[in-house]
Amino acid sequence: QQPVQSPQAVILREGEDAVINCSSSKALYSVHWYRQKHGEAPVFLMILLKGGEQKGHEKISASFNEKKQQSSLYLTASQLSYSGTYFCGTGGNQAGTALIFGKGTTLSVSS
Amino acid sequence: NAGVTQTPKFQVLKTGQSMTLQCAQDMNHNSMYWYRQDPGMGLRLIYYSASEGTTDKGEVPNGYNVSRLNKREFSLRLESAAPSQTSVYFCASSELRQLPSYFGSGTRLTVV
């Protein structure tokens, strides 16, 4: 079952912050975040594993709350290069399972 | 490094025709995946192969077949293409599910 991402779209000016949420109705053991620019392939940003840890990548960080079965991606002081569509992918516990992705959140940053 | 290579990059098919999308990775990854991407639908898993010799259905397997030819290669076959299969297809690979997936550049398929 696809995780649910919110919001569907975000419009920002450079320097503003944004939060993208990802929630699942199933137990989560890992959450992956990817960014895709128009016409390109998705690119890996970070993975969060069970344990509530927070990770960072440049000015982008994320948290994972397995009790609430949700993850949030934080984009701080956004730059033009942050524009794109962000996907969360969720994984189950079994080793043989694959990531199921949400429908994506489109982020547009303007100057 | 080439990473994940998909061929062809573009393809136009007539309804009822068949074709195979090829995917190869040079990172010695165990797991490989096929996703399709349609506007507003995100990335939907078609089939995956957790390791060489195994394949499993994903969210939208109907109308597709796959072959894990060896550790490097994972192909996706459309036996009788339908307009509903017009999409962008991405192949991806990962060492383990808990590690990053790397995507190919995609195949843009149009079925008329």
Side-chain angles (χ1 to χ4, degrees):
Chain A
Q1 189 170 3
Q2 275 188 308
V4 177
Q5 288 186 234
S6 63
Q8 289 185 338
V10 183
I11 299 174
L12 297 175
R13 291 202 179 264
E14 271 187 299
E16 293 181 336
D17 302 339
V19 179
I20 299 172
N21 300 303
C22 174
S23 63
S24 174
S25 59
K26 299 174 72 173
L28 295 180
Y29 294 89
S30 66
V31 179
H32 297 219
W33 285 96
Y34 291 77
R35 177 170 63 203
Q36 183 181 33
K37 294 193 178 280
H38 185 69
E40 299 180 4
V43 174
F44 169 77
L45 289 177
M46 66 188 74
I47 291 176
L48 299 103
L49 301 176
K50 185 178 175 182
E53 62 186 293
Q54 187 154 347
K55 290 202 165 187
H57 174 79
E58 298 175 344
K59 292 182 181 177
I60 301 174
S61 62
S63 63
F64 177 27
N65 186 325
E66 68 258 31
K67 279 189 177 179
K68 293 185 177 181
Q69 296 169 189
Q70 66 185 34
S71 175
S72 295
L73 186 72
Y74 307 94
L75 299 105
T76 305
S78 59
Q79 306 168 14
L80 294 175
S81 62
Y82 286 3
S83 292
T85 300
Y86 290 78
F87 293 99
C88 69
T90 56
N93 188 33
Q94 295 172 332
T97 58
L99 287 179
I100 302 298
F101 287 92
K103 293 184 178 181
T105 296
T106 301
L107 177 70
S108 300
V109 182
S110 61
S111 57
Chain B
N1 288 339
V4 179
T5 303
Q6 290 182 236
T7 55
K9 292 191 184 301
F10 301 92
Q11 184 71 49
V12 178
L13 288 179
K14 293 183 179 179
T15 297
Q17 287 185 319
S18 62
M19 79 161 295
T20 300
L21 280 64
Q22 306 287 353
C23 176
Q25 51 92 8
D26 62 2
M27 295 172 283
N28 201 35
H29 285 168
N30 287 309
S31 302
M32 298 185 73
Y33 317 89
W34 277 105
Y35 292 92
R36 62 176 287 175
Q37 185 171 35
D38 304 290
M41 299 300 292
L43 294 155
R44 291 184 292 172
L45 181 67
I46 305 171
Y47 270 94
Y48 65 101
S49 172
S51 61
E52 188 178 356
T54 68
T55 60
D56 284 286
K57 294 179 180 179
E59 302 169 271
V60 288
N62 291 344
Y64 304 96
N65 285 302
V66 291
S67 295
R68 183 75 182 266
L69 305 170
N70 48 55
K71 193 171 185 179
R72 289 188 64 246
E73 299 172 286
F74 188 38
S75 63
L76 178 72
R77 183 162 178 83
L78 288 72
E79 292 291 351
S80 178
S84 61
Q85 294 178 306
T86 293
S87 187
V88 180
Y89 292 85
F90 286 102
C91 176
S93 71
S94 66
E95 174 60 23
L96 294 171
R97 182 177 48 79
Q98 293 87 348
L99 294 175
S101 291
Y102 295 89
F103 285 79
S105 57
T107 295
R108 295 182 180 277
L109 176 67
T110 301
V111 183
V112 297

